[in-house]
């Protein structure tokens, strides 16, 4: 099975087997509909408690959905057979706050003091919005959603802090109230937007120059809508200059066994 050869609607078991074997290393957008997809951060235990404090104090950009035991690659609350060393299509390694390499398996880099933290992902609310007939411009234009640094302050967790990163999706003005209502139902996927309208009000000088992702073309009746973004946590991790941090590559998420609409992220047999 290859990235191109994966079936159009693989089961979760087929998909995980293909990812684990290295046969599939593509992005996970649109795969395993209805299952929770997770951002991943893996860091040494010595820094994990402060990072968890940071996430708990900033739940909009950093909604915790699972935490592993020190040195254990399993995430039993998200699925019975998850092995975080193999179950992401692509990983990124950062050393001392700098990008080092991108790999498809981290068994060779796993250390006995590592802790895995899984965070909620915007794929969940995007799917809900599109199911309600609210178009996602970046999806239609085949672009990576634009993301921006802002002036919105975060609550520090010792060495972790900074300002919030947001993602922006243009919405038709009449769709905004419904979008807010829908997204509020998914607190584990960043919840309702943090800002609607003027980007300068949250410290964004130019929508055409995102810090990550790609600029999206807006229709005349669109307004910019901003959600808290999981890149916030990666920014905080890199700014801390930790010797080794491992994250998912953008768009290459962990797919959990639990439903994305679950009130609590706990897998039950």
């Amino acid at each position: 099975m290859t990235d191109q050869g994966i079936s159009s609607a693989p089961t979760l078991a087929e998909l995980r087997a293909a990812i684990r074997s290295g046969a599939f290393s593509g992005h996970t957008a649109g795969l395993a509909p209805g299952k929770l997809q997770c951002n991943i951060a893996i860091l040494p235990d010595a820094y994990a408690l402060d990072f968890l404090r940071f996430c708990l104090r900033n739940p909009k950009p950093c909604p915790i959905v699972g935490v592993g035991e020190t040195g254990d690659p399993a995430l039993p609350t998200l699925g019975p057979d998850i092995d975080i060393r193999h179950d992401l299509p692509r990983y990124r390694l950062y050393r001392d706050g700098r990008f080092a390499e991108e790999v498809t398996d981290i068994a060779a880099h796993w250390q006995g003091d590592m802790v895995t933290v899984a965070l909620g992902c915007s794929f969940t609310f995007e799917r809900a919005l599109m199911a309600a007939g609210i178009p996602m411009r970046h999806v239609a234009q085949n672009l990576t959603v634009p993301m921006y640094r802002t002036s919105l302050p975060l609550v520090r967790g010792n060495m972790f802090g900074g300002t919030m990163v947001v993602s922006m999706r243009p919405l038709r003005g009449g769709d905004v109230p419904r979008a807010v209502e829908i997204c509020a139902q998914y607190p584990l996927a960043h919840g309702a937007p943090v800002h609607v309208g003027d980007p300068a009000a949250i410290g964004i000088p130019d929508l055409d120059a995102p810090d990550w992702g790609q600029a999206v073309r807006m229709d005349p009746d669109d307004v910019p809508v901003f959600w808290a973004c999981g890149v916030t946590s990666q920014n905080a991790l890199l700014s801390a200059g930790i010797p080794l941090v491992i994250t998912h590559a953008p768009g290459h998420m962990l797919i959990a066994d639990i439903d994305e609409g679950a009130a609590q992220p706990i897998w039950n047999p």
Side-chain angles (χ1 to χ4, degrees), residues 19 24-28 87-91 103-104 252-254:
I19 292 171
F24 179 78
S25 59
H27 68 76
T28 56
D87 289 348
L88 272 64
R90 289 184 178 275
Y91 305 78
V103 298
T104 57
H252 298 68
M253 308 297 185
L254 173 71

Side-chain angles (χ1 to χ4, degrees), residues 63-213:
I64 298 171
V65 297
V67 181
E69 298 287 350
T70 301
D72 188 346
L75 287 170
T77 60
L78 298 181
D81 68 339
I82 291 173
D83 186 329
I84 203 63
R85 297 171 298 182
H86 314 291
D87 289 348
L88 272 64
R90 289 184 178 275
Y91 305 78
R92 285 192 172 180
L93 277 65
Y94 298 88
R95 300 185 185 278
D96 301 316
R98 296 179 179 273
F99 173 73
E101 59 180 313
E102 187 168 294
V103 298
T104 57
D105 187 282
I106 58 167
H109 304 281
W110 186 261
Q111 299 174 2
D113 66 342
M114 285 183 160
V115 176
T116 302
V117 181
L119 304 171
C121 168
S122 62
F123 286 173
T124 295
F125 74 71
E126 286 187 347
R127 187 158 31 243
L129 292 175
M130 289 188 288
I134 299 175
M136 297 285 97
R137 304 290 188 218
H138 68 287
V139 174
Q141 296 170 34
N142 194 29
L143 299 173
T144 301
V145 69
M147 293 159 277
Y148 306 85
R149 302 178 192 273
T150 75
S151 57
L152 297 171
L154 298 166
V155 181
R156 291 197 67 84
N158 195 3
M159 65 192 304
F160 301 102
T163 59
M164 187 183 298
V165 174
V166 297
S167 56
M168 190 282 291
R169 294 160 186 82
L171 299 184
R172 297 173 302 213
D175 286 337
V176 172
R178 178 66 175 144
V180 171
E181 179 184 352
I182 291 170
C183 291
Q185 299 173 39
Y186 296 97
L188 298 180
H190 305 301
V194 296
H195 182 66
V196 177
D198 182 11
I202 56 172
I204 299 172
D206 184 0
L207 286 182
D208 290 329
D211 296 290
W212 298 269

